Structure formats: C-alpha cells, structure tokens
Amino acid sequence: MEVIITPEEMQGWSRQQHRTGLTVGLVPTMGCLHEGHLSLIDTAATRCDVVVVSLFVNPTQFGPNEDFAKYPRTVEEDLARCRERGVAAVFLPQAAVMYAGDASVSVVEEGLSGRWCGASRPGHFNGVCTVVAKLFNIALPDVAVFGQKDYQQAAIIKRMVRDLNFPLEVVVAPIIRDDDGLAKSSRNGYLSVAEREMGLGLSRALGLARAAVATGESDAGEVVRRMRQHLTEAGLRVDYVGIADVETLEPVSVLAAGQVALVAAYAGKTRLIDNTIL
Ligand code: AMP
C-alpha cells in the first residue's frame, strides 16, 4: 500500500493507474477509521479496480468553537486497517500542502446547505465542498463513496458533482450501526457510558418516524414533535429534528414513505447525527 503525502504525487499515482486501464475509487475520510469507513472501502472495491482512502482532518470544515483540535487522530491504526482491507493507496496530506496561505478560491453550495447541519454549523459545507473538490482533483477518482450517515453532505456533494461537471460517479453507502442501533462515528469515542446510553435516543427517535409511516400517519409536524420529545426524554439536547424531501431537503408537512428523517442532538458536549429513509 502506498502512503502519499503530496497532491502532485497523488495525481501522478492516479494518472498511472488510469494509464494502465484501472479505475480508481476514492473514500474521503477524516481518519479514526471504524466499520462505517471500512464498509465504504468495500463498496469502492466492488466498483473500482483500486481504492484510495484519504485521511485528512480538514480544518476549514470546523467552526471556531468545534472540536478540530481534539478530533481523534489514530494514523497508525488507520493505515493498518487500510492495509488489511486491501486499499491500494492512502492520501495523507498535511494542511500546509492542502491550503496555500493566501488561498482565495472555494466552493459554495447555496441550495441544500441552508438547513439542518448547515444552519447549526455556518460555513461547514463550504469547507466540505472545497476540500472534496480538491480531493477529486487530486485523486482523480472514477467513483467516490460517501456514507448516508452524513445524508445532507452526500446530497450536497452529488449536487456539486452535477453542477460543476466533475467526471465521476458519487455512490452513497448505508449507515453502519452498533448492535444496539447507535450509528458508528469517530465522535462516539468522546461519549461516557451514560452519554452513549443517551445517544441511543437518536436511532430510537428515527424508529418513531418509521413506525408512524408504517401505521399510515400523515401529520409530519406531529411526528417531529414526538421525536423531539423522545430525544429530550433520553437526556439529549436537541439541535434539530426534521422530516424532509430526499432531494430538496425541504421539510414536509405530509408524512410519506421515501422521505428522510434527520436528527442531530448533543449527548453532553458531543454532537451526534443520524437519519433514516422512511
Ligand atoms: P468522516 O471521517 O466522519 O468525515 O466520514 C468519512 C465518510 O464516512 C463520510 O462519507 C461519512 O458519511 C462516512 N461514515 C461515517 N460514519 C459512517 C457510518 N456509521 N456508516 C457509514 N458511513 C459512515
């Protein structure tokens, strides 16, 4: 497995794969790899000849009061996991090679970024779009795999690829969960035992929405109210709860199958997100 630290070498490596007729799959991550990330690697491997994983804790997608400094960094373990999983190359850049000191061009998405995580984390999706656009230009993938765990992010990346004509396919892979339903996340390591218990409230709240669809309820506002109550009773501080159209991410008033239920809530100081397609 190659470990590549500069954009130029990464581009060169990828061009070489293409010259020999191989397709390249990219899995962008911030490291601290868990089963969710590994499933994206497997998905990439089923669709492409060689898989590149990027490990980069991107400073520009963190707000000033967020957890950039203490975000878990486990590079040696991550490299071992990638190697075991058959990854061909890991792109492991330093922030200084990713961003010129006077960088002045960025990607701004203005349609899907306004609500949900975008409302709570101003500037977050500009940081995400910009770094992902850069990673696409650096790794030159034929396919890029993202997790449904970050539903809004995946929708925004698909929009960016469409609107800026990136010559690649975006694949969204399902959410991997612990046995009790908690969605795997690098941030779960922040949770105390009691907070982890609270965290189960997110997937349970989503279960309420699925049950409501199954029993033919139609008042989305009422279902959102019940989900919010469930989160609060679990001891979580709600950031947002919503049921939205899967394409536009606009909230719906009439509940129906095929919509997406989205939740974000704090367990102590840790912000957790989850979602489900109804
Ligand atoms: P991150 O390292 O948190 O930036 O995540 C990198 C990629 O892994 C993103 O596309 C995430 O949506 C995806 N991901 C994170 N957690 C999960 C999970 N539990 N299941 C599936 N994909 C995930």
Side-chain angles (χ1 to χ4, degrees):
M1 186 179 80
E2 302 272 340
V3 179
I4 298 172
I5 61 174
T6 71
E8 294 73 21
E9 281 173 277
M10 189 67 242
Q11 285 164 333
W13 184 91
S14 224
R15 285 207 184 97
Q16 181 57 30
Q17 307 306 308
H18 291 310
R19 268 197 297 275
T20 56
L22 300 178
T23 55
V24 175
L26 173 68
V27 179
T29 82
M30 298 203 299
C32 192
L33 300 184
H34 51 66
E35 292 293 328
H37 299 114
L38 300 181
S39 80
L40 305 190
I41 294 172
D42 294 346
T43 298
T46 63
R47 293 176 176 255
C48 294
D49 298 314
V50 290
V51 177
V52 178
V53 172
S54 60
L55 302 177
F56 179 56
V57 186
N58 173 39
T60 69
Q61 70 190 68
F62 287 80
N65 299 317
E66 294 183 357
D67 57 345
F68 174 69
K70 71 162 189 171
Y71 195 83
R73 288 158 171 91
T74 58
V75 173
E76 288 312 316
E77 290 91 328
D78 293 347
L79 292 176
R81 293 214 165 95
C82 288
R83 209 171 273 123
E84 277 166 24
R85 216 70 175 196
V87 169
V90 168
F91 179 52
L92 181 65
Q94 295 289 318
V97 303
M98 286 295 277
Y99 295 106
D102 59 352
S104 55
V105 178
S106 62
V107 179
V108 178
E109 195 287 326
E110 295 184 301
L112 303 172
S113 305
R115 292 186 191 277
W116 316 120
C117 288
S120 335
R121 304 183 69 187
H124 170 67
F125 287 121
N126 295 350
V128 169
C129 283
T130 303
V131 78
V132 171
K134 287 164 69 68
L135 291 169
F136 287 170
N137 285 331
I138 291 168
L140 305 171
D142 301 282
V143 172
V145 185
F146 293 85
Q148 188 200 317
K149 163 85 190 327
D150 298 87
Y151 186 88
Q152 187 177 18
Q153 167 174 284
I156 289 169
I157 298 298
K158 281 196 269 184
R159 179 67 64 91
M160 178 181 81
V161 164
R162 184 196 75 180
D163 289 354
L164 298 184
N165 302 92
F166 280 96
L168 56 90
E169 183 192 353
V170 173
V171 172
V172 181
I175 303 175
I176 304 298
R177 301 175 177 281
D178 286 334
D179 290 342
D180 57 10
L182 185 70
K184 301 239 185 215
S185 166
S186 306
R187 290 189 169 97
N188 290 353
Y190 297 151
L191 301 173
S192 68
V193 172
E195 288 166 350
R196 198 190 169 290
E197 190 62 29
M198 290 178 198
L200 299 177
L202 280 88
S203 56
R204 290 185 183 143
L206 296 171
L208 294 179
R210 276 197 303 274
V213 171
T215 55
E217 276 189 66
S218 62
D219 184 346
E222 166 58 22
V223 175
V224 165
R225 194 194 59 71
R226 281 211 304 274
M227 292 168 72
R228 182 178 290 275
Q229 186 182 352
H230 182 86
L231 293 168
T232 306
E233 284 172 6
L236 296 155
R237 181 163 62 83
V238 175
D239 180 355
Y240 63 73
V241 183
I243 299 175
D245 179 88
V246 281
E247 299 288 336
T248 65
L249 297 182
E250 290 298 313
V252 297
S253 52
V254 180
L255 185 70
Q259 296 165 341
V260 60
L262 302 148
V263 292
Y266 288 86
K269 291 196 163 92
T270 303
R271 184 171 174 280
L272 301 173
I273 61 172
D274 201 350
N275 69 82
T276 192
I277 305 292
L278 299 173

